[in-house]
């Protein structure tokens, strides 16, 4: 399984690793190895880092704090102090280490570095929130949040491959049914 990066922000893509939150939650970070693969696919590390059960627990807690903070910002509400504290604590840790080699750039780090990268991305997003068009996917079951950077500001779905296609297929089928 590959992860998708359609949200336009690292922290939002990380929050999307728990799919279908309201109906049938699907955990994409079921194991520490899944988290390592996500970090590599997200570009935080060049190789999947070794992550233990505690690192996975820590990053899942960060993921949920980010999701709650963004949802509250979308609703115009105030943020929970515990969520703010967690994001700020994780952002204060060193981010992934960059090493320039003759073979190119190598990114490395542990669970703390991954958490720092995600938390810093969340802090930047939330700090600039008023100037962004942040939306939730229009597919009712989908809970992925994304930044709408479309020219007209009318993006509806997190991505065409999954949600947009589902809506279009359902609309097509409804038009094909006899009345």
């Amino acid at each position: 399984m590959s992860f998708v990066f359609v949200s336009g922000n690292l922290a939002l893509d990380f929050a999307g690793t728990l799919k279908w939150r309201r109906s049938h939650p699907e955990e994409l970070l079921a194991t520490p190895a899944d988290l390592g693969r996500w970090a590599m696919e997200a570009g935080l590390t060049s190789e999947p880092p070794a992550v233990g059960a505690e690192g996975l627990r820590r990053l899942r807690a960060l993921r949920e704090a980010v999701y709650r903070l963004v949802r509250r910002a979308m609703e115009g509400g105030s943020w929970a102090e515990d969520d703010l504290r967690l994001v700020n604590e994780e952002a204060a840790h060193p981010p992934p280490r960059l090493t320039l080699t003759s073979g190119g750039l190598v990114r490395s780090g542990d669970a703390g570095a991954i958490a720092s990268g995600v938390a810093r991305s969340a802090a930047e997003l939330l700090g600039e929130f008023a100037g962004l068009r942040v939306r939730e996917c229009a597919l009712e079951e989908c809970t992925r949040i994304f930044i709408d950077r479309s020219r007209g500001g009318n993006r509806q779905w997190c991505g065409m491959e999954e949600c947009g296609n589902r809506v279009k297929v359902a609309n097509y089928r409804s038009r094909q049914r006899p009345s």
Side-chain angles (χ1 to χ4, degrees), residues 38-170:
W38 182 88
M40 190 179 84
E41 289 182 29
L44 283 171
T45 59
S46 300
E47 295 292 325
V51 176
E54 176 57 25
L56 177 61
R57 185 210 58 78
R58 173 182 175 183
L59 275 138
R60 282 182 180 166
L62 175 61
R63 176 188 66 192
E64 296 312 303
V66 167
Y67 183 79
R68 287 187 298 267
L69 288 168
V70 172
R71 288 292 310 170
R72 294 297 291 160
M74 291 171 68
E75 296 163 358
S78 59
W79 294 327
E81 288 298 319
D82 288 345
D83 291 338
L84 278 176
R85 185 174 25 264
L86 179 58
V87 168
N88 287 326
E89 285 173 1
E90 295 295 2
H93 293 289
R97 187 174 40 262
L98 303 179
T99 306
L100 185 59
T101 69
S102 59
L105 186 63
V106 176
R107 300 171 193 273
S108 59
D110 57 7
I114 295 166
S116 177
V118 170
R120 288 167 185 244
S121 176
E124 288 175 356
L125 170 74
L126 292 163
E128 301 168 348
F129 202 84
L132 300 172
R133 293 185 300 232
V134 179
R135 304 198 187 340
E136 186 177 71
C137 182
L139 182 64
E140 189 174 329
E141 300 86 31
C142 185
T143 55
R144 185 177 294 274
I145 300 170
F146 60 90
I147 299 172
D148 179 2
R149 291 192 172 106
S150 65
R151 186 183 311 191
N154 58 358
R155 180 175 166 193
Q156 296 179 39
W157 305 294
C158 60
M160 279 304 298
E161 286 192 24
E162 190 166 355
C163 294
N165 190 49
R166 286 179 187 215
V167 171
K168 288 185 176 222
V169 167

Side-chain angles (χ1 to χ4, degrees), residues 7-57:
S7 297
N9 174 275
L10 181 71
L12 293 180
D13 283 324
F14 190 66
T17 61
L18 180 60
K19 295 171 60 176
W20 320 111
R21 290 170 182 267
R22 288 187 291 269
S23 55
H24 299 91
E26 181 182 335
E27 178 62 73
L28 300 182
L29 302 177
T31 68
D34 293 335
L35 177 58
R37 277 190 318 95
W38 182 88
M40 190 179 84
E41 289 182 29
L44 283 171
T45 59
S46 300
E47 295 292 325
V51 176
E54 176 57 25
L56 177 61
R57 185 210 58 78

